Structures are given as structure tokens and as C-alpha cells.
Amino acid sequence: MKTAILKTPLGLAEVRGDENGISEIKILEEEKEFTPNIPEVLLPAILQLNEYFEGKRKNFSLKLNPSGTSFQRKVWKALQEIPFGKTWSYQELSRQLGDVKAIRAVASANGKNPLWIVIPCHRVIGSDGSLTGYAGGLHRKKWLLEHENPPLQQSLF
């Protein structure tokens, strides 16, 4: 398993993967050494994440290999259907998966997403529009949602 540390506007991120795909992208709370020489297998992920933060990328095209149960993988696949700049509620996500009563299980799988940003769990909000739990912290969730959907400049005239 190869690892690289990436500097982002939200702190350091750790990217892990191998020839089978990217298995983990997570925000780090502790300081680690930035990776000057990126392993070749991780280059596409690093490039695409940088493009995302620069506002040049809305979708990712990476080979993914997250570890999880079949239900978790089903939820993570559905998360990838949420369009850039849009949000879904946990209820909408549950409905999309075919079981509106599975909100808690869906929320749990959402919280275990190992691929920060690439599988956009930050796009899931409460039914009332509130920002609900986010493993990376609500301040990061707010930043990501604003990055993807910046407020329109109001006309002064």
C-alpha cells in the first residue's frame, strides 16, 4: 500500500492506494511530513484532488478500492450520484437506495466513507437543510459545500 500526504486548503490529507485503486483519502488532524515524491499509482488522485481544490474539477475519474460491507459500498456508490454543487438529505439518499426507513443505516455508512471528497459524503445534509455530522468537522463540510456552490454576487444596481 502506497501513501502520500497532500496539502489542501482544509489541512493535510492522506491518500492511500495501490494498483487495485485508491482505498483511502482522509483529512489528518495531526501534522505529518508532506510527500515531495508521490508514488506513481497515487499521481492521478493527487492531480485530481488538486484540480478540485483549484476549482477546475467537478467529477473524479479514479479507480477506487474502498474497504467496506456490501451495504456500505452500495451507499458510497449512491453518494457518487449526488451532482457537484447539490445536496441530498439522508432521507433522499435512503429513498434513492430503495428503503426510506434505512436512514440510520445509511447515515452510519455515510459516516464510514473512507474516500474523502471523491465519494462526496459532505453533500448529505439534514432534512431541514442543517449541516449534520461530518467526520472531518462541520467547518470543513461547510467549506466544501461553499466551494462547490459559491454564493452568487449580488448586483449593486
Side-chain angles (χ1 to χ4, degrees), residues 34-62:
F34 172 70
T35 308
N37 298 318
I38 309 294
E40 188 173 330
V41 72
L42 301 179
L43 281 173
I46 299 297
L47 172 70
Q48 290 184 35
L49 284 165
N50 280 328
E51 290 172 344
Y52 169 86
F53 284 114
E54 293 167 1
K56 298 176 183 173
R57 176 171 291 277
K58 295 182 178 185
N59 299 299
F60 293 91
S61 57
L62 297 168

Side-chain angles (χ1 to χ4, degrees), residues 39-151:
E40 188 173 330
V41 72
L42 301 179
L43 281 173
I46 299 297
L47 172 70
Q48 290 184 35
L49 284 165
N50 280 328
E51 290 172 344
Y52 169 86
F53 284 114
E54 293 167 1
K56 298 176 183 173
R57 176 171 291 277
K58 295 182 178 185
N59 299 299
F60 293 91
S61 57
L62 297 168
K63 184 177 180 183
L64 304 180
N65 189 25
S67 179
T69 67
S70 60
F71 179 76
Q72 288 170 336
R73 284 198 279 264
K74 183 178 171 184
V75 171
W76 300 337
K77 186 169 177 52
L79 287 170
Q80 294 176 72
E81 301 300 317
I82 304 173
F84 182 91
K86 303 293 181 193
T87 57
W88 288 0
S89 69
Y90 287 99
Q91 188 173 27
E92 287 175 277
L93 184 55
S94 297
R95 192 175 314 124
Q96 190 75 13
L97 290 163
D99 187 356
V100 74
K101 294 180 182 178
I103 291 174
R104 287 182 185 224
V106 166
S108 176
N110 190 55
K112 291 180 172 71
N113 171 21
L115 290 164
W116 183 59
I117 298 176
V118 173
I119 296 179
C121 59
H122 61 277
R123 296 181 189 154
V124 182
I125 59 173
S127 294
D128 62 358
S130 63
L131 297 185
T132 55
Y134 185 63
L138 290 181
H139 66 289
R140 289 188 179 106
K141 182 172 188 164
K142 182 177 188 286
W143 189 97
L144 290 166
L145 292 174
E146 288 175 353
H147 175 70
E148 293 184 4
N149 195 9

